[in-house]
Every structure is written in structure tokens, then in C-alpha cells.
Amino acid sequence: MFLVGLSGGIASGKSTVVAVFRELGCAVIDADVIARQVVQPRFLAYQQIVHNFGSEILLESGEINREALGNIIFSHPEKRQLLNAITHPKIQKEMLKQIFKYFALGYRYVILDIPLLFETNTLTKFMKHTVLVYSDPQTQLSRLMKRNGLAQAEAEARIASQLPLDEKCKLADHVIDNSGDWESTRRQVLRLHSQLEDSLDFLLVRLVAVTAVAGIGGLVCFLLRHFLS
């Protein structure tokens, strides 16, 4: 099994691509979903965030108001770094647990859906392949304004806060152009999936791992028969 890092930009259409991969039966680990889970009230990260950002970021239900927190870190880079320092270790730990689960289930590869994969640049070294979901600037801007109900200037500021998609293209092993219609995007995903499925990457590692597990299992059975006979 090998890891495939998937990223994009705000309103580039990454969720559309992920939906096609899931439809194909691929294992997908969504860093955003995990990020929401680790800041629930019952977790340590929640207490640390409230301590550092104050109770004004809480909803009436007691949960963290993601929009309010997002506004703070958008305007204050040092606050974004603090939030990342709190949440990233917890997120990565949960991702690792899920990776082992899919390895045990025998998946050929696992997709890690990480929005800021290329910005943080700390996880790319663990990826055998990296994939960028691209959208041309005008389409990206239009989608963001429509989706979030933003004025053009505000949408442009949100896009400018991320590494430009053209720069990310240079860093990615594969690029899926989501500027066109859904069918075009789907065909690109199907083609990439076929390439990844046919890849021999890490086949030797899997064979060694399976052999080792089988050997350990055989040894355990032998010892049990020896001591119970």
C-alpha cells in the first residue's frame, strides 16, 4: 500500500474529485473531517483552543464556532500558527491510525485529502504520489463568490491567502483540471485511478509485510500446540 496526497485550492473543486474516488471504492482519509472531530468538547484540543482564543469563539451549544475562529486566524498569522500547533499533532495521530486500518484491510493505496498539503510541506515526503485539483483563476473566483456569497474583493483576498494554484501545479505529481464540466473531471480521475491501481509501488514492502505476518502467525500456532499438547 502507498499514500497519495490530494490537495487543491479554495473552491477549486476538490470535493468533486474526492466524490469520484469514493465512488470507485477508494480509501479516502479526510483531514478536514478529522480536524472537526479533534476539536469537539470532549477532546484536549478543544480545551487548549478555548484557553488560547477565549470563550467568544464558542457557539451557544458549547462547540467551537469555526467561522469565528477562521476570521481570527485569517487576520492574524501568528494565531494561525498557534492553532496549527494545537491541532496538527492530534490530526496526524488520527490519520496514522486510519492508514494502518486500511493497510490491514488490503487497500492498494490510500488517499489523504489535505487542503494545505503544499503550504505546510511537512507531509509531502510521506506521499508516493501527490495530486492537485486545479481550476483556472476566473472559474475559481466565480465559484467562491457564488458558494460563499462573497464580494469580489473579499473572495480575491481569501484566494490570495493560499499558495497560488499555478505554483502548486509545479509541486504536484499529477494535476486534475476541474475548470470544465463534471464529465471531463470524472474522466481524468478514472484515468489516474487506473494508473495508481496498476502501479507496482511498494509491492515488495507489502510482500515482505505479509510474509512476516504469516511467519509470526505460524510461530504462534506452533507454540500454542506445543504448550497445549
Side-chain angles (χ1 to χ4, degrees):
M1 187 189 78
F2 56 91
L3 303 179
V4 178
L6 177 69
S7 193
I10 186 170
S12 69
K14 181 167 58 67
S15 60
T16 299
V17 171
V18 168
V20 178
F21 274 117
R22 289 188 187 277
E23 178 189 323
L24 294 170
C26 299
V28 179
I29 298 174
D30 189 329
D32 261 352
V33 170
I34 295 175
R36 290 186 179 93
Q37 292 172 346
V38 301
V39 298
Q40 291 299 306
R42 64 183 181 277
F43 293 109
L44 175 61
Y46 171 90
Q47 300 170 20
Q48 294 173 325
I49 292 171
V50 174
H51 174 75
N52 284 280
F53 290 85
S55 59
E56 60 268 20
I57 64 165
L58 298 179
L59 298 168
E60 290 184 4
S61 64
E63 295 184 347
I64 291 174
N65 184 331
R66 289 173 60 86
E67 183 178 355
L69 184 58
N71 290 335
I72 293 173
I73 65 172
F74 178 73
S75 306
H76 302 87
E78 73 281 1
K79 293 288 189 179
R80 182 186 298 115
Q81 293 176 2
L82 174 60
L83 180 64
N84 290 343
I86 293 171
T87 60
H88 283 187
K90 281 83 171 176
I91 294 170
Q92 292 170 12
K93 181 179 178 181
E94 180 59 30
M95 291 175 71
L96 188 59
K97 288 167 58 178
Q98 294 191 27
I99 288 169
F100 280 126
K101 178 187 74 173
Y102 288 122
F103 176 82
L105 291 173
Y107 278 81
R108 186 75 186 85
Y109 66 91
V110 173
I111 296 170
L112 301 184
D113 177 359
I114 306 174
L116 300 179
L117 176 65
F118 296 107
E119 282 87 347
T120 57
N121 201 32
T122 56
L123 296 177
T124 52
K125 59 181 175 289
F126 300 110
M127 309 299 164
K128 185 62 180 177
H129 299 270
T130 55
V131 182
L132 175 73
V133 181
Y134 175 83
S135 176
D136 66 73
Q138 187 55 49
T139 301
Q140 182 186 21
L141 178 63
S142 176
R143 285 174 177 165
L144 181 58
M145 291 172 62
K146 182 178 180 180
R147 188 189 72 184
N148 291 33
L150 301 176
Q152 181 171 333
E154 189 175 2
E156 289 174 341
R158 295 285 181 95
I159 292 173
S161 70
Q162 297 184 348
L163 190 66
L165 286 176
D166 287 335
E167 289 297 317
K168 293 183 184 182
C169 282
K170 300 173 185 177
L171 302 173
D173 299 316
H174 310 274
V175 176
I176 295 176
D177 190 346
N178 191 39
S179 305
D181 58 27
W182 182 81
E183 280 298 333
S184 173
T185 299
R186 178 180 169 79
R187 285 194 298 269
Q188 294 175 70
V189 176
L190 292 176
R191 185 162 55 248
L192 177 58
H193 172 63
S194 179
Q195 293 174 11
L196 296 174
E197 279 288 301
D198 293 340
S199 171
L200 297 178
D201 293 330
F202 293 0
L203 177 59
L204 180 59
V205 175
R206 173 165 285 281
L207 290 174
V208 170
V210 171
T211 301
V213 171
I216 293 171
L219 177 61
V220 170
C221 289
F222 172 79
L223 292 174
L224 285 173
R225 285 200 301 269
H226 176 74
F227 286 111
L228 294 177
S229 60

